[in-house]
Amino acid sequence: MRNQPKYNFFKNTGYALNGLKDLIRTETSFKLELILTMILLPLIIFIEATFIHKALLFISLMGMLLAEATNSAIERVVDLVTLEHHHMAGRAKDVGSTIVFLSISVFVVTWAIVLADIYQ
């Protein structure tokens, strides 16, 4: 059985916010993607598009942040286990990078398709 404290919404929210603050403080890629999100989020709100189009734009934008956070978590766990070069550690980090690459690809393709459909 895991040594896990009883669930507490406020404590867990605090842990999540601590993680977000740490990402913003230490991860340049996350900061850049967060700035892009802050720029594009108002665009989603004010653009004349259907709810489905707006949802697709929002989901693809948030997916990019989720992927970057996941990649950072993978990198930190790998670094915790070993700082020495090990081919399996490198493969794990490469997969994390692939998650980010795929999310950015989905973001770009989704935005291109939706905006092309709106402004045809």
Side-chain angles (χ1 to χ4, degrees), residues 3-62:
N3 182 14
Q4 183 175 356
K6 193 171 184 179
Y7 178 80
N8 181 307
F9 176 78
F10 296 105
K11 280 186 180 179
N12 289 17
T13 300
Y15 299 146
L17 293 175
N18 287 340
L20 180 61
K21 283 188 264 183
D22 187 62
L23 279 171
I24 293 168
R25 189 172 49 251
T26 61
E27 298 293 333
T28 303
S29 296
F30 188 84
K31 282 187 251 192
L32 292 172
E33 291 164 1
L34 188 60
I35 290 168
L36 181 64
T37 299
M38 300 304 254
I39 292 167
L40 294 179
L41 205 51
L43 182 67
I44 294 171
I45 294 167
F46 294 112
I47 197 169
E48 287 200 33
T50 65
F51 176 77
I52 297 298
H53 280 143
K54 288 183 178 192
L56 288 170
L57 295 176
F58 178 78
I59 290 167
S60 66
L61 188 57
M62 292 299 111

Side-chain angles (χ1 to χ4, degrees), residues 54-94:
K54 288 183 178 192
L56 288 170
L57 295 176
F58 178 78
I59 290 167
S60 66
L61 188 57
M62 292 299 111
M64 195 169 49
L65 291 177
L66 290 168
E68 193 63 56
T70 302
N71 182 45
S72 295
I74 291 168
E75 288 180 350
R76 290 169 187 201
V77 169
V78 168
D79 289 344
L80 177 66
V81 173
T82 181
L83 290 176
E84 295 176 20
H85 179 74
H86 188 278
H87 74 281
M88 290 301 288
R91 288 175 62 191
K93 287 184 173 190
D94 289 348

